[in-house]
Amino acid sequence: MKSIRYAALAAVAGLVLTGCGDEPDSNSGSNPTTSAPTSSSTTTGGLPLTVTRTGGFAGFDDRVVLGADGIASVSKRGKDPVRCRLDAGLLTTITDAVKQIDWTDVGTTKPTVRYPDDMIIAVAASGGLTRLEDPKVKPLVTPVSQLLTEATVPPGKLCKAV
């Protein structure tokens, strides 16, 4: 039941963030996801954190890489990549959430499409990779939703363009 609630939260957040009508992409129909960073690329607090949002009936293809310095590198289909600096409060919330997770227990299985128009929000840090609705990464649900809201449409009040 909790998984359904998290999936619904992620779907609603995705719908609110962008509307339909993105530019068509030659990769539509493919399922781009992220790979987990290697342990040599991790830094204090489990960052960098990589969040990807792919699929769904709106055809999402977003990627946010958040570094320990608070700089988020954001790429979206059909848009030029941008960088923004996260608000210190949001960065602290995300860092604290990442620290609460046992990333070795999360595993490294690349999320796959479960049904047509499945929207996958995946998180990767400290060598782990999973869907956001995985109960093992529950502390990240709210901050990642806020990160996707702020970072995928910079500049915003919590993510200033750099």
Side-chain angles (χ1 to χ4, degrees):
M1 187 63 161
K2 288 183 180 180
S3 293
I4 293 171
R5 189 172 359 159
Y6 296 128
L9 173 65
V12 169
L15 291 174
V16 169
L17 297 177
T18 58
C20 296
D22 280 352
E23 295 177 20
D25 182 35
S26 61
N27 289 333
S28 62
S30 69
N31 182 27
T33 57
T34 183
S35 60
T38 62
S39 58
S40 62
S41 68
T42 59
T43 61
T44 306
L47 297 178
L49 171 71
T50 302
V51 179
T52 58
R53 177 175 50 188
T54 56
F57 62 84
F60 290 103
D61 188 6
D62 303 335
R63 179 181 178 97
V64 179
V65 180
L66 177 60
D69 59 358
I71 301 293
S73 298
V74 183
S75 60
K76 291 179 65 141
R77 178 184 312 143
K79 310 263 188 207
D80 290 332
V82 296
R83 292 171 33 109
C84 63
R85 180 175 303 280
L86 247 56
D87 172 78
L90 179 55
L91 179 62
T92 299
T93 301
I94 292 171
T95 302
D96 290 348
V98 168
K99 288 178 182 178
Q100 293 178 41
I101 297 165
D102 179 0
W103 289 97
T104 57
D105 189 39
V106 167
T108 59
T109 305
K110 184 167 115 176
T112 58
V113 175
R114 295 179 180 160
Y115 50 86
D117 293 331
D118 185 15
M119 181 174 63
I120 299 171
I121 298 177
V123 293
S126 299
L129 169 67
T130 192
R131 285 177 173 255
L132 184 61
E133 69 254 19
D134 185 333
K136 295 174 185 171
V137 295
K138 183 179 178 181
L140 278 174
V141 172
T142 300
V144 163
S145 296
Q146 192 172 14
L147 174 67
L148 286 171
T149 301
E150 291 296 326
T152 57
V153 291
K157 67 179 184 170
L158 296 179
C159 200
K160 305 290 185 195
V162 293

